Amino acid sequence: MKNLPVLLVSPVGEIGGGEKVFLSLIERLPEFQVEPILACMRPGSLVEAARQSGIKAYAFKAHRYRELSLVWQGIQWLAQIIQETEAQLVHANHASHIYSSLATRFTSVPEIWHLHDYPYHWDWVDQVSIRLPTDYVIFTTHKVWSGYPHLLKRPHSIIPPICIDPAYLRGLTPQDNIRIKYNLAHNSLFLTVTRIQEHKGHRYLLDAIHKVVQSDPNVTFAIVGKPSDSEQERYMQTLLSQANSLGIEQQVKFLGYVSEPDLVSLHHEATALIHPAITEGFGLVLLEAMSLETPVIAAAADGPCELIVDGETGLIVPTADSDSLAEAIISLLKSPDLAKNLSDRGRATAEQFSVDKMVKATVDVYRSLVS
């Protein structure tokens, strides 16, 4: 069977949950006679990761939805890549649909629009996106599916974004000097891995940390995530100012981007992963932590509540509640037995998910469209 060239389009260049789905597809699609090609509307580590895997990867200079001339340039750029690579299908993540929808109309290839997040807050980009044509929609969960009634008349399916490989993650050798590398104290370490965006709940985490260090200052909180645009840069400055005003700048370390091997090493050092997001469609970072036997504490957004049984496979606290979050952190500091039980049961939960099932379901959609 001849390989099917498919262009995967990301609106961002940095690696988050939706981008990890793309990386998993890039790694495994060749096994299904599919040739993956990557196009990012911004440069970043996602492009480099794809190139290191031997995949053709392209990066636009940087898109801005409010600059119509740049949007038009992005559409033309994408259409040119479709023609040059002879892609027979485009698979677009998130807001890149604004570009790929029109680029595929110009080049007469089908487009899949992949939606990962429930639209808790509609903005003009969402309003424009749902009105643009597409040939197929992939929703990651039933919750996300329920948020787009206008799209349900179009061909669609729900494919959970299971792109963790527990055996691979556990096969990465922990680095003995990982704390030295990131200047982290040798005390109780809590880890947060998420985008630097307001809805991820960092400000509630910082308030909770202030409460924790009042009873136990011998603790460190490492926050992984790199701002990818001016809005996120401003939010980062707000968080730094908050940490300083709370007097917790010694306990809180913002690590920026961290490679996957380093992140696995940090998990081996961590007492728990904290995920304070107010809204979260799924929560791949939770499954990654659970597969590495790191206990998880998560705010009660939709995704974490689907993945975690409170008190059994992790701890769930109310969203936007720094007091409850602080209590959960302190409970793990005081009870190693609780942490051990959560890590054991969390690992068993993570083992139930299969990345191969996600890839096969996606390939089935590809084949149905091009046939």
Side-chain angles (χ1 to χ4, degrees), residues 78-132:
L78 203 56
Q80 184 177 355
I81 291 174
I82 293 170
Q83 293 173 329
E84 288 180 355
T85 61
E86 299 182 346
Q88 296 181 31
L89 176 69
V90 171
H91 181 168
N93 250 1
H94 304 299
S96 62
H97 170 60
I98 284 183
Y99 296 90
S100 61
S101 174
L102 298 178
T104 52
R105 299 315 109 177
F106 294 147
T107 53
S108 300
V109 301
E111 183 221 30
I112 296 169
W113 185 18
H114 201 150
L115 287 164
H116 295 259
D117 297 315
Y118 183 88
Y120 293 97
H121 305 289
W122 285 96
D123 59 23
W124 71 270
V125 174
D126 298 315
Q127 297 292 351
V128 171
S129 296
I130 63 171
R131 287 166 172 78
L132 291 173

Side-chain angles (χ1 to χ4, degrees), residues 75-339:
I75 293 168
Q76 292 178 306
W77 175 80
L78 203 56
Q80 184 177 355
I81 291 174
I82 293 170
Q83 293 173 329
E84 288 180 355
T85 61
E86 299 182 346
Q88 296 181 31
L89 176 69
V90 171
H91 181 168
N93 250 1
H94 304 299
S96 62
H97 170 60
I98 284 183
Y99 296 90
S100 61
S101 174
L102 298 178
T104 52
R105 299 315 109 177
F106 294 147
T107 53
S108 300
V109 301
E111 183 221 30
I112 296 169
W113 185 18
H114 201 150
L115 287 164
H116 295 259
D117 297 315
Y118 183 88
Y120 293 97
H121 305 289
W122 285 96
D123 59 23
W124 71 270
V125 174
D126 298 315
Q127 297 292 351
V128 171
S129 296
I130 63 171
R131 287 166 172 78
L132 291 173
T134 190
D135 299 283
Y136 199 92
V137 184
I138 293 177
F139 301 100
T140 54
T141 66
H142 282 87
K143 177 67 176 181
V144 176
W145 173 89
S146 70
Y148 294 89
H150 287 79
L151 298 180
L152 302 186
K153 297 177 182 179
R154 305 182 188 184
H156 65 271
S157 59
I158 298 171
I159 303 178
I162 308 304
C163 58
I164 66 161
D165 186 339
Y168 165 75
L169 291 174
R170 289 197 292 270
L172 294 174
T173 303
Q175 304 169 48
D176 294 334
N177 65 341
I178 194 67
R179 288 191 186 242
I180 296 173
K181 182 174 182 177
Y182 289 97
N183 193 28
L184 301 172
H186 287 272
N187 53 21
S188 297
L189 175 66
F190 288 85
L191 191 61
T192 294
V193 184
T194 187
R195 291 190 189 279
I196 305 299
Q197 293 174 319
E198 192 167 353
H199 71 93
K200 295 298 186 179
H202 297 84
R203 62 188 184 276
Y204 302 106
L205 172 61
L206 295 181
D207 284 338
I209 293 171
H210 178 243
K211 295 175 172 63
V212 171
V213 300
Q214 287 178 325
S215 62
D216 185 358
N218 190 35
V219 63
T220 298
F221 295 83
I223 299 176
V224 175
K226 177 184 176 182
S228 62
D229 57 31
S230 57
E231 183 178 347
Q232 292 183 26
E233 290 282 2
R234 288 193 294 270
Y235 180 51
M236 172 65 86
Q237 291 305 313
T238 300
L239 296 176
L240 291 171
S241 297
Q242 182 184 356
N244 288 333
S245 66
L246 292 172
I248 56 174
E249 64 274 12
Q250 296 301 315
Q251 286 85 12
V252 178
K253 303 294 182 182
F254 290 91
L255 305 187
Y257 169 75
V258 173
S259 67
E260 187 172 58
D262 283 7
L263 191 55
V264 168
S265 296
L266 289 171
H267 272 291
H268 283 284
E269 296 284 325
T271 300
L273 175 91
I274 304 172
H275 194 64
I278 304 167
T279 62
E280 183 63 72
F282 193 71
L284 284 171
V285 294
L286 300 174
L287 281 181
E288 288 173 341
M290 293 158 75
S291 70
L292 291 167
E293 300 183 21
T294 306
V296 296
I297 302 171
D302 295 313
C305 286
E306 286 189 20
L307 294 173
I308 297 170
V309 178
D310 184 33
E312 294 185 17
T313 58
L315 299 180
I316 295 288
V317 300
T319 56
D321 187 338
S322 58
D323 289 333
S324 297
L325 185 53
E327 290 173 6
I329 295 168
I330 292 170
S331 70
L332 287 187
L333 284 171
K334 291 183 175 180
S335 178
D337 288 341
L338 172 61

